[in-house]
Amino acid sequence: MADRSLEGMALPLEVRARLAELELELSEGDITQKGYEKKRSKLIGAYLPQPPTANGAAVVRCRLQPGEGAPRRMLRSGHIGACDVREAAGRARAASTAGNRPLFYFRFGVDQALPPERRAPVTPASSSRYHRRRSSGSRDERYRSDVHTEAVQAALAKHKERKMAVPMPSKRRSLVVQTSMDAYTPPDTSSGSEDEGSVQGDSQGTPTSSQGSINMEHWISQAIHGSTTSTTSSSSTQSGGSGAAHRLADVLAQTHIENHSAPPDVTTYTSEHSIQVERPQGSTTSRIAPKYGNAELMETGDGVPVSSRVSAKIQQLVNTLKRPKRPPLREFFVDDFEELLEVQQPDPNQPKPEGAQMLAMRGEQLGVVTNWPPSLEAALQRWGTISPKAPCLTTMDTNGKPLYILTYGKLWTRSMKVAYNILHKLGTKQEPMVRPGDRVALVFPNNDPAASMVAFYGCLLAEVVPVPIEVPLTRKDAGSQQIGFLLGSCGVTVALTSDACHKGLPKSPTGEIPQFKGWPKLLWFVTESKHLSKPPRDWFPHIKDANNDTAYIEYKTCKDGSVLGVTVTRIALLTHCQALTQACGYTEAETIVNVLDFKKDVGLWHGILTSVMNMMHVISIPYALMKVNPLSWIQKVCQYKAKVACVKSRDMHWALVAHRDQRDINLSSLRMLIVADGANPWSISSCDAFLNVFQSKGLRQEVICPCASSPEALTVAIRRPTDDSNQPPGRGVLSMQGLTYGVIRVDSEEKLSVLTVQDVGLVMPGSIMCSVKPDGAPQLCRTDEIGELCVCGAATGTSYYGLSGMTKNTFEVFPVTSSGAPISEYPFVRTGLLGFVGPGGLVFVVGKMDGLMVVSGRRHNADDIVATALAVEPMKFVYRGRIAVFSVTVLHDERIVIVAEQRPDSTEEDSFQWMSRVLQAIDSIHQVGVYCLALVPANTLPKTPLGGIHLSETKQLFLEGSLHPCNVLMCPHTCVTNLPKPRQKQPEIGPASVMVGNLVSGKRIAQASGRDLGQIEDNDQARKFLFLSEVLQWRAQTTPDHVLYTLLNCRGTIANSLTCVQLHKRAEKIAVMLMERGHLQDGDHVALVYPPGIDLIAAFYGCLYVGCVPITVRPPHPQNIATTLPTVKMIVEVSRSACLMTTQLICKLLRSREAAAAVDVRTWPPILDTDDLPKKRPAQIYKPSDPDTLAYLDFSVSTTGMLAGVKMSHAATSAFCRSIKLQCELYPSREVAICLDPYCGLGFVLWCLCSVYSGHQSILIPPSELETNPALWLLAVSQYRVRDTFCSYSVMELCTKGLGSQTESLKARGLDLSRVRTCVVVAEERPRIALTQSFSKLFKDLGLHPRAVSTSFGCRVNLAICLQVFKKLRHGMLKEKKKTN
């Protein structure tokens, strides 16, 4: 790369060629910057003393302009081109201050072959000022592929029109190549962009298309005759009438330029109206480029030989970009998955909005009152000095008695003290910990509003931004980690708290407060006056008018559980207080009872902020008192003659429940009962019921004032208190069916599927409200359409702290009309409330965006589902009304999940009856199915600090499988209606097929199939037999002494074993017993009640020999007959067993006194004892006439107590055994260890059937033996050098817990699991990943391969949908064996 030191050097061509090669290697990344500088200094070291000349190359640094797209790669030519150096330098200086966009360097050189008098004049200043710079950062930006994509595509589109019939090189060319067709490059007929043009050589104008074709043919003929080329530039920048351009034109007109063109400029935009330089047709002489070794070089304009592989590289890029664009990575794995799902067609009869486009609703003008303070701090100063003894806040204890009275004088002086200590007592004078504008956390309990209020106003006086949060009770509080993330993003390092709260925080053994999960490191600062220093007399807080500085940050929990911080400026804070004062008609010295959380939302705005502005007296009712006495707030209204009360609908509901005709209640003093959750449409029921009960106690209808609010828009609307009792509040009866489609349809109250909503009043003073579509662009809704309410005004939040992207989507919304025109130049704020503006400007809210669930294109609100579930009889079934409703995504659609806490005294029967009623009610009212309804024990769901259910944490527990419900009702068949389409093979190959090596043909990879059993050729002799009984007879004849089963006892020794002939003879004896003693015929059902062992296997094949249908049943537990014996009796009865076979010990147990107390022993079918078998052989062994006849019945009891039975035919049984044999590669010389319960499912098949069909030896280990010897299974696997074993999750868990601390002793006993190739866990329950990982990690030291443990996947109908492939680890194990050898 050239710089200012090389511009005037007369370097030999060899040196210049090497410099060009170094530059190319550096650009391609073959060498580092340091290596490039080192080699370059060696090459030019001998030429450095020579003074520079003005004939060198000038480098112009240009920044990419916004309209230019990708940078243009200007090739070196024999003239400066079309860019005036001074103009380019001016553009570079202008662009250097335009931001942080990457710089691009273009080089313009002067042809060294031209005489000095024929060269374009370049001033020394310009050549020395604009030199090329290379840094490690700029190179990465230059060669990013996305920088050039747009320009390359434009160039390729232009080149397509030329139809060049010239072979383009597709591989990189080496320096050592001979002259070939690929070494030549077609002439560049492209032009610059629209603001660029080429300098014309003479006055003949631009060449025609025929001249362009002549140039192309001339280039082809030159390539055929083997002439070399030197590149020149055909496209250059026209510098708007500059003198340099005309001088260049004169030079070009007098100069003979060879008729060889440069390679296509693939990085330059092309223009439709291009101006090209016409070449003199008379110049046909060509210059031969020198050769260095075997490398053929081309000469650039400044005489530097460059290898032709530069052109080849460009052409390779062109060819690569011409290929079809590779799809995103996810498409390789999804492979048109969306096309597999059934797309539900919209209902043609669904209601659609028909009204006119709504108009923005403007609230009344915010009045100007002369005595309103210029800021909230000024109001505090006024009341603290004028009326210092006026009560500001009264707190209550848990007994309902006044605990503390905070006067305005105390609030003023203590806030000043807090402000002084925050600014001057934290840190040092030189480095204070808190400066004005910093954020601090306010951590105060809900029963101490006075300390929180003092700290809040202390922060305002200190110009510090308070962030009120909840008190972390433990390190694992629900949502506590997200609160910590908010504090960290706000840069909070100091937390203000009270003395009692500080003492109640969790402490480490050393007495320090531990760092909570996800929280930043905090300094806990106690704000009690006894811990603070008194400020000097000359210190006074700086109180100024409200401005746009941040006043406080209110946290908000989103639908996904993340916590955001909403910033509220000081001017918005003051304007909001003024608007509430005007809307509510607040006056001085009024008394307000506040039941709400004083740290956020309505409780903060009315009880802490607006009350101080108007010198009101607030009676704060803590949540702890409300739990003890729900009527406490009503009692305080009567006691203090309060004018205003701030409550929620739940407080009204629990007051109704606790009301017992108390005579001393008088609510006539109330002029305004603010219902904070009036945005919940179901609050109307609490309001109506409360009015009906307490209207006789002096409560007036016009007093109830619901309001709508959100953290972003603060108070959205509130119903004004009026003196006209004849004016009823607004309400509407809306069709639930219409609401799901987002339209308003008035219905009658007689119908069940209706929603009665009440108005939440008018728009706030000084604000403008509109309703926009919830999805897509913020377009205004129609008058009969449900949309998201948006507010424009000064009394709103400003942003989400530190989240500019989310802030723009929420706080900077510009609603547009149907034509796309914005309705206002000022931004609106999304409230997150769904509703509409009704007649008279009344605002109605029907739901929230956070509770919105879109199921099959219809919108449902979580509050509606909750209300329906709670209305189901018995209403008191749900414990304290604690119920959560959310949605999960299944098959690209949302599915509704309901989780509720059931009362402790509820039975399982009551639970399932209630759940069934809930499903029916939701289906009839909302016309939507419920995916899952789960009931959990009382007080087990995660709670919010005020006792509500933490919704996002509950959903996370559900998704993780950690909810631990006591009753579950899954109904996927009622809601999953978009199942995949029928699978069809496609002729073409999809991208997923390419990923697997073109092994799978078909566009849709939505199905998977195993090998076809009928097309596999192997040496399976058992395949010629259709029935297992025939296979056993064949093995008894061919390999009579081959051991099929080995049973181990708890000591690890062989308790019993069976060869082929032994099993055959024993089965014959059992068959004789069934015919002679049981008098059974073929087709009769026989219950086999045996412990895990050999007897069960022999009894099964004895049934097959006589044509009976066996049913394996788990025997009752001797220590728990009362609960286990009824299950045995139920299976025997449901299966209609004609006989029961068992051992003598279990036979006595079934007829014992304990069994008689549990079941009626007289109803047992005939019981046969197989310990004493006859010595006869059957005259004939039964052979089924049809393979589809019944072979055995597979009964199992689900976790919910439901009994299910599966019929297995002879054909299905043989095919199942064959598939397992092929999948697991089972053959007679194999040994497989089995530690499973052999009564149902895959465990029964592996225990009883597979060995007979495949001929391998099964080492049987009863799982019950592990209770006395947990190491039995692993010791057997090690002793018999078993490579493949099957177990259950209970066995794996028993080994993990029982042997966790014995790995060293087991290793000393010689336990070696290195030979285990596959350990398959057989289960129908969910995969327990943590257990399998713990098992693998625990026994890794004993040689267990980490990839050996796997899980079978199956269900009741298909017992082994997916089974571990045994040869999976073969390749990896061979590699390890090679390493060890």
Side-chain angles (χ1 to χ4, degrees):
M1 301 177 66
D3 59 7
R4 187 165 54 185
S5 61
L6 297 180
E7 291 172 358
M9 286 188 183
L11 297 176
L13 292 179
E14 294 84 356
V15 176
R16 290 189 175 272
R18 184 54 185 153
L19 287 175
E21 292 173 10
L22 283 177
E23 181 180 348
L24 182 62
E25 291 177 1
L26 180 61
S27 65
E28 294 176 351
D30 295 338
I31 60 175
T32 62
Q33 178 73 23
K34 186 176 181 181
Y36 165 79
E37 297 290 348
K38 185 176 181 180
K39 294 182 179 180
R40 175 181 170 279
S41 60
K42 288 183 179 180
L43 288 174
I44 65 174
Y47 307 97
L48 283 178
Q50 299 181 5
T53 64
N55 299 332
V59 178
V60 181
R61 185 180 72 170
C62 298
R63 189 181 295 273
L64 181 66
Q65 300 300 320
E68 293 178 357
R72 298 169 177 80
R73 182 178 180 273
M74 307 300 291
L75 299 178
R76 285 165 281 190
S77 63
H79 56 283
I80 292 293
C83 180
D84 187 2
V85 175
R86 290 169 295 180
E87 183 183 353
R91 287 204 306 266
R93 287 192 298 269
S96 63
T97 60
N100 295 325
R101 292 170 294 185
L103 294 176
F104 301 94
Y105 298 89
F106 308 131
R107 174 168 179 160
F108 304 90
V110 180
D111 193 344
Q112 299 293 334
L114 295 177
E117 65 276 4
R118 304 287 292 274
R119 296 174 184 155
V122 180
T123 61
S126 64
S127 63
S128 61
R129 184 184 306 164
Y130 308 108
H131 59 277
R132 171 166 294 188
R133 301 176 183 174
R134 171 169 290 275
S135 65
S136 60
S138 62
R139 187 172 71 87
D140 295 337
E141 292 295 332
R142 287 183 60 191
Y143 296 99
R144 284 177 53 193
S145 60
D146 55 348
V147 175
H148 302 280
T149 301
E150 190 176 352
V152 169
Q153 291 176 351
L156 291 177
K158 194 70 176 179
H159 280 287
K160 277 185 179 180
E161 300 174 0
R162 300 193 181 95
K163 299 180 180 180
M164 293 186 296
V166 181
M168 307 284 278
S170 59
K171 296 182 179 180
R172 288 186 59 167
R173 295 297 178 185
S174 171
L175 283 174
V176 189
V177 293
Q178 298 297 328
T179 304
S180 65
M181 194 70 173
D182 293 341
Y184 297 90
T185 311
D188 181 17
T189 56
S190 64
S191 64
S193 61
E194 293 181 359
D195 59 343
E196 293 180 354
S198 298
V199 182
Q200 299 182 8
D202 50 25
S203 61
Q204 293 180 6
T206 60
T208 62
S209 59
S210 61
Q211 291 172 331
S213 62
I214 293 174
N215 292 339
M216 181 67 69
E217 293 174 0
H218 182 61
W219 176 85
I220 295 175
S221 63
Q222 284 184 334
I224 294 175
H225 289 85
S227 61
T228 59
T229 62
S230 67
T231 60
T232 57
S233 175
S234 65
S235 176
S236 53
T237 305
Q238 187 174 4
S239 56
S242 63
H246 293 291
R247 290 193 296 273
L248 287 171
D250 296 338
V251 171
L252 290 174
Q254 300 173 8
T255 307
H256 296 286
I257 305 176
E258 296 99 24
N259 196 10
H260 308 312
S261 299
D265 188 0
V266 298
T267 62
T268 310
Y269 275 121
T270 57
S271 175
E272 294 181 1
H273 307 286
S274 60
I275 302 176
Q276 299 181 353
V277 178
E278 182 172 355
R279 310 288 178 154
Q281 300 297 328
S283 58
T284 59
T285 59
S286 60
R287 183 168 62 242
I288 305 298
K291 291 185 178 181
Y292 298 93
N294 294 328
E296 176 147 3
L297 303 174
M298 295 192 308
E299 228 177 49
T300 59
D302 54 359
V304 179
V306 179
S307 170
S308 62
R309 76 166 178 167
V310 178
S311 176
K313 182 184 178 184
I314 296 175
Q315 297 306 329
Q316 182 187 10
L317 175 63
V318 172
N319 294 341
T320 302
L321 294 173
K322 281 183 179 179
R323 298 172 186 166
K325 184 180 179 182
R326 189 193 318 191
L329 186 59
R330 65 179 296 270
E331 292 189 15
F332 284 109
F333 301 97
V334 176
D335 195 12
D336 305 328
F337 178 72
E338 289 80 1
E339 296 182 7
L340 297 173
L341 304 179
E342 291 285 352
V343 179
Q344 293 188 350
Q345 300 299 327
D347 185 4
N349 299 323
Q350 72 179 39
K352 297 181 180 180
E354 301 171 353
Q357 184 173 277
M358 74 161 296
L359 299 176
M361 183 60 60
R362 185 182 298 272
E364 70 263 29
Q365 185 176 0
L366 184 61
V368 179
V369 182
T370 55
N371 63 343
W372 274 356
S375 65
L376 204 59
E377 305 94 290
L380 175 60
Q381 180 188 13
R382 176 195 297 180
W383 307 129
T385 54
I386 295 178
S387 304
K389 294 185 179 181
C392 174
L393 179 69
T394 299
T395 61
M396 299 291 169
D397 59 12
T398 54
N399 297 320
K401 297 181 180 180
L403 181 64
Y404 182 78
I405 299 177
L406 179 67
T407 63
Y408 278 93
K410 292 180 181 178
L411 177 61
W412 166 246
T413 55
R414 293 181 181 180
S415 299
M416 285 181 57
K417 184 181 292 187
V418 169
Y420 173 77
N421 282 267
I422 289 176
L423 295 176
H424 298 88
K425 295 301 179 179
L426 295 178
T428 62
K429 292 184 178 180
Q430 292 75 18
E431 292 293 334
M433 288 189 63
V434 180
R435 302 176 184 268
D438 290 349
R439 277 72 53 195
V440 296
L442 267 58
V443 186
F444 292 90
N446 294 313
N447 60 358
D448 195 359
S452 177
M453 192 176 191
V454 169
F456 189 93
Y457 280 97
C459 292
L460 293 183
L461 293 176
E463 299 183 34
V464 174
V465 180
V467 186
I469 60 171
E470 308 297 340
V471 178
L473 301 179
T474 63
R475 298 189 65 184
K476 296 182 179 180
D477 277 354
S480 176
Q481 184 175 1
Q482 299 296 332
I483 291 288
F485 291 157
L486 172 64
L487 298 180
S489 62
C490 292
V492 174
T493 57
V494 175
L496 307 184
T497 186
S498 62
D499 194 10
C501 181
H502 186 266
K503 293 179 180 178
L505 291 174
K507 304 287 195 307
S508 63
T510 59
E512 298 179 355
I513 299 176
Q515 185 173 352
F516 297 97
K517 186 177 181 180
W519 285 45
K521 189 175 182 180
L522 297 177
L523 172 66
W524 294 88
F525 185 69
V526 179
T527 58
E528 255 76 5
S529 295
K530 60 182 179 180
H531 298 288
L532 303 179
S533 301
K534 189 175 182 181
R537 293 185 177 181
D538 56 348
W539 185 87
F540 196 80
H542 178 58
I543 299 178
K544 54 186 178 181
D545 295 348
N547 52 23
N548 287 323
D549 295 340
T550 301
Y552 71 97
I553 296 176
E554 180 175 325
Y555 79 90
K556 172 202 173 181
T557 303
C558 297
K559 185 177 182 179
D560 59 353
S562 60
V563 176
L564 308 178
V566 179
T567 61
V568 180
T569 62
R570 292 175 178 265
I571 189 65
L573 171 63
L574 180 64
T575 307
H576 187 221
C577 293
Q578 294 172 352
L580 287 177
T581 301
Q582 178 175 330
C584 300
Y586 286 145
T587 57
E588 295 179 9
E590 275 192 324
T591 303
I592 176 173
V593 174
N594 183 27
V595 190
L596 308 175
D597 185 6
F598 54 83
K599 295 186 289 296
K600 58 184 296 188
D601 210 66
V602 180
L604 172 66
W605 305 331
H606 290 262
I608 301 295
L609 304 178
T610 309
S611 61
V612 171
M613 176 178 169
N614 296 281
M615 201 185 76
M616 299 172 66
H617 181 199
V618 179
I619 311 298
S620 182
I621 310 296
Y623 179 69
L625 176 58
M626 287 293 297
K627 290 197 297 184
V628 176
N629 182 13
L631 280 174
S632 58
W633 69 273
I634 295 180
Q635 296 170 354
K636 299 308 170 188
V637 169
C638 302
Q639 178 181 351
Y640 288 92
K641 306 296 181 183
K643 298 288 186 180
V644 183
C646 294
V647 298
K648 282 189 175 183
S649 59
R650 68 172 185 193
D651 304 320
M652 304 168 72
H653 171 75
W654 291 115
L656 287 174
V657 174
H659 175 62
R660 292 293 182 271
D661 292 332
Q662 280 137 3
R663 301 177 181 178
D664 55 346
I665 294 180
N666 185 3
L667 301 179
S668 59
S669 63
L670 274 180
R671 68 172 184 85
M672 194 174 189
L673 179 60
I674 300 176
V675 184
D677 60 343
N680 185 346
W682 297 95
S683 62
I684 186 175
S685 59
S686 297
C687 294
D688 290 346
F690 189 82
L691 178 63
N692 293 334
V693 173
F694 290 97
Q695 196 167 13
S696 60
K697 308 292 184 181
L699 182 67
R700 303 184 305 275
Q701 179 182 6
E702 62 272 13
V703 167
I704 299 178
C705 299
C707 72
S709 63
S710 73
E712 294 84 0
L714 307 185
T715 303
V716 177
I718 188 170
R719 188 187 294 176
R720 279 38 166 192
T722 61
D723 297 331
D724 186 6
S725 59
N726 297 324
Q727 182 180 358
R731 66 175 57 199
V733 181
L734 306 180
S735 168
M736 196 81 74
Q737 175 78 4
L739 291 177
T740 59
Y741 292 103
V743 298
I744 304 169
R745 292 293 180 266
V746 179
D747 213 328
S748 60
E749 293 187 2
E750 288 77 17
K751 295 185 178 180
L752 295 176
S753 58
V754 295
L755 176 66
T756 304
V757 295
Q758 63 179 348
D759 71 285
V760 291
L762 302 173
V763 184
M764 291 295 292
S767 299
I768 304 175
M769 177 183 291
C770 68
S771 176
V772 300
K773 296 182 182 299
D775 304 323
Q779 182 179 342
L780 286 179
C781 293
R782 296 178 180 267
T783 53
D784 61 341
E785 188 176 5
I786 301 295
E788 184 178 6
L789 301 179
C790 296
V791 174
C792 176
T796 61
T798 307
S799 65
Y800 292 128
Y801 187 88
L803 302 172
S804 58
M806 297 183 65
T807 296
K808 187 175 183 63
N809 296 332
T810 303
F811 294 90
E812 301 176 14
V813 179
F814 292 90
V816 296
T817 61
S818 56
S819 60
I823 65 173
S824 173
E825 60 179 335
Y826 299 103
F828 282 68
V829 177
R830 293 184 182 268
T831 63
L833 303 177
L834 295 171
F836 60 96
V837 180
L842 296 178
V843 180
F844 293 84
V845 179
V846 298
K848 297 182 178 180
M849 290 293 294
D850 284 347
L852 189 64
M853 300 178 293
V854 182
V855 181
S856 300
R858 297 173 56 203
R859 295 186 285 194
H860 302 273
N861 204 277
D863 291 333
D864 301 342
I865 306 295
V866 169
T868 302
L870 290 178
V872 174
E873 294 290 341
M875 297 183 64
K876 295 183 179 181
F877 176 82
V878 180
Y879 178 72
R880 298 184 65 87
R882 294 176 55 79
I883 185 170
V885 175
F886 51 87
S887 63
V888 295
T889 302
V890 179
L891 290 181
H892 291 264
D893 201 357
E894 294 186 47
R895 316 294 176 185
I896 297 177
V897 178
I898 302 176
V899 181
E901 292 184 359
Q902 68 178 23
R903 296 180 64 88
D905 54 351
S906 300
T907 63
E908 184 178 353
E909 185 66 21
D910 296 337
S911 301
F912 277 95
Q913 287 184 4
W914 182 84
M915 289 192 289
S916 301
R917 292 170 183 168
V918 169
L919 295 179
Q920 296 171 5
I922 293 177
D923 180 67
S924 60
I925 295 176
H926 303 277
Q927 289 85 44
V928 66
V930 176
Y931 179 71
C932 176
L933 204 164
L935 298 178
V936 298
N939 291 318
T940 56
L941 291 180
K943 298 180 182 179
T944 60
L946 290 182
I949 294 179
H950 202 289
L951 193 62
S952 60
E953 290 288 329
T954 303
K955 180 178 179 180
Q956 188 64 29
L957 291 176
F958 176 82
L959 295 176
E960 293 175 353
S962 304
L963 199 58
H964 305 302
C966 51
N967 292 294
V968 178
L969 190 57
M970 298 284 296
C971 303
H973 56 281
T974 62
C975 58
V976 181
T977 57
N978 61 333
L979 291 175
K981 300 176 184 178
R983 277 63 169 174
Q984 298 176 359
K985 289 210 170 184
Q986 303 294 328
E988 66 271 13
I989 297 177
S993 305
V994 178
M995 290 292 291
V996 298
N998 296 327
L999 295 179
V1000 182
S1001 180
K1003 185 177 181 181
R1004 298 190 179 106
I1005 314 300
Q1007 70 176 18
S1009 59
R1011 294 174 290 178
D1012 190 353
L1013 294 178
Q1015 298 180 359
I1016 300 176
E1017 298 293 337
D1018 56 5
N1019 297 324
D1020 189 4
Q1021 297 297 325
R1023 184 183 176 188
K1024 59 186 178 182
F1025 302 106
L1026 294 177
F1027 312 104
L1028 279 177
S1029 56
E1030 294 181 333
V1031 176
L1032 179 57
Q1033 298 174 51
W1034 168 69
R1035 292 199 181 277
Q1037 294 175 1
T1038 56
T1039 57
D1041 298 329
H1042 176 67
V1043 179
L1044 289 179
Y1045 295 99
T1046 300
L1047 179 67
L1048 302 183
N1049 56 22
C1050 62
R1051 296 185 297 274
T1053 58
I1054 299 177
N1056 201 349
S1057 64
L1058 274 182
T1059 63
C1060 297
V1061 68
Q1062 289 174 346
L1063 179 58
H1064 169 67
K1065 290 181 178 180
R1066 192 165 182 180
E1068 285 182 330
K1069 295 177 182 180
I1070 294 176
V1072 172
M1073 186 185 69
L1074 288 173
M1075 289 186 295
E1076 293 182 353
R1077 299 181 187 177
H1079 306 287
L1080 301 180
Q1081 299 177 357
D1082 58 297
D1084 289 340
H1085 296 182
V1086 179
L1088 309 181
V1089 186
Y1090 288 94
I1094 300 297
D1095 294 336
L1096 177 65
I1097 303 171
F1100 178 84
Y1101 286 99
C1103 292
L1104 295 185
Y1105 275 14
V1106 79
C1108 294
V1109 179
I1111 301 105
T1112 54
V1113 183
R1114 184 192 303 270
H1117 199 282
Q1119 280 78 32
N1120 196 9
I1121 294 180
T1123 56
T1124 57
L1125 188 59
T1127 303
V1128 177
K1129 185 68 178 298
M1130 180 174 57
I1131 296 176
V1132 172
E1133 291 178 350
V1134 172
S1135 64
R1136 298 178 182 178
S1137 298
C1139 176
L1140 190 150
M1141 282 202 303
T1142 182
T1143 62
Q1144 186 177 4
L1145 184 62
I1146 297 178
C1147 182
K1148 293 181 181 180
L1149 185 63
L1150 294 178
R1151 294 193 175 103
S1152 64
R1153 185 177 301 175
E1154 293 83 359
V1159 297
D1160 188 1
V1161 295
R1162 295 172 299 178
T1163 58
W1164 286 113
I1167 301 176
L1168 300 181
D1169 177 10
T1170 57
D1171 287 349
D1172 185 15
L1173 296 175
K1175 299 182 179 180
K1176 293 182 181 181
R1177 294 181 59 186
Q1180 183 181 0
I1181 296 179
Y1182 175 79
K1183 180 178 181 180
S1185 58
D1186 188 0
D1188 292 331
T1189 56
L1190 194 60
Y1192 71 95
L1193 288 176
D1194 189 338
F1195 273 92
S1196 65
V1197 181
S1198 66
T1199 55
T1200 57
M1202 297 188 66
L1203 181 65
V1206 179
K1207 296 180 179 180
M1208 294 293 293
S1209 65
H1210 288 279
T1213 304
S1214 299
F1216 191 20
C1217 293
R1218 175 168 169 75
S1219 64
I1220 294 178
K1221 175 183 183 300
L1222 296 174
Q1223 181 77 355
C1224 301
E1225 298 180 357
L1226 301 177
Y1227 38 86
S1229 61
R1230 291 282 301 276
E1231 291 181 347
V1232 177
I1234 300 173
C1235 189
L1236 292 168
D1237 283 328
Y1239 300 108
C1240 61
L1242 189 57
F1244 165 74
V1245 175
L1246 292 171
W1247 189 283
C1248 297
L1249 308 184
C1250 285
S1251 283
V1252 172
Y1253 186 89
S1254 303
H1256 65 276
Q1257 180 182 359
S1258 294
I1259 301 173
L1260 306 178
I1261 307 164
S1264 58
E1265 303 291 352
L1266 270 68
E1267 297 178 1
T1268 56
N1269 184 9
L1272 173 62
W1273 170 49
L1274 297 179
L1275 288 173
V1277 170
S1278 175
Q1279 177 183 352
Y1280 289 92
R1281 299 183 178 182
V1282 172
R1283 293 195 300 172
D1284 309 304
T1285 181
F1286 293 85
C1287 69
S1288 62
Y1289 277 128
S1290 58
V1291 170
M1292 183 172 285
E1293 187 174 13
L1294 190 61
C1295 293
T1296 304
K1297 293 181 178 180
L1299 305 177
S1301 59
Q1302 302 180 23
T1303 54
E1304 293 298 331
S1305 61
L1306 292 175
K1307 195 172 184 179
R1309 293 169 59 182
L1311 182 62
D1312 182 17
L1313 302 179
S1314 61
R1315 297 180 183 85
V1316 176
R1317 188 172 59 173
T1318 306
C1319 175
V1320 181
V1321 185
V1322 177
E1324 296 175 12
E1325 57 178 311
R1326 58 180 176 84
R1328 300 174 63 178
I1329 301 176
L1331 177 60
T1332 55
Q1333 290 178 347
S1334 300
F1335 181 82
S1336 302
K1337 187 181 298 183
L1338 180 63
F1339 296 104
K1340 182 181 179 181
D1341 295 338
L1342 298 179
L1344 182 64
H1345 196 280
R1347 293 177 56 194
V1349 181
S1350 64
T1351 306
S1352 67
F1353 173 63
C1355 61
R1356 290 297 301 124
V1357 179
N1358 196 333
L1359 303 180
I1361 298 175
C1362 181
L1363 193 61
Q1364 172 69 44
V1365 179
F1366 278 78
K1367 56 186 177 183
K1368 178 180 180 182
L1369 299 177
R1370 181 174 297 169
H1371 182 66
M1373 285 195 167
L1374 286 176
K1375 289 175 112 178
E1376 290 189 2
K1377 288 182 180 179
K1378 288 181 181 179
K1379 290 181 181 179
T1380 56
N1381 294 337

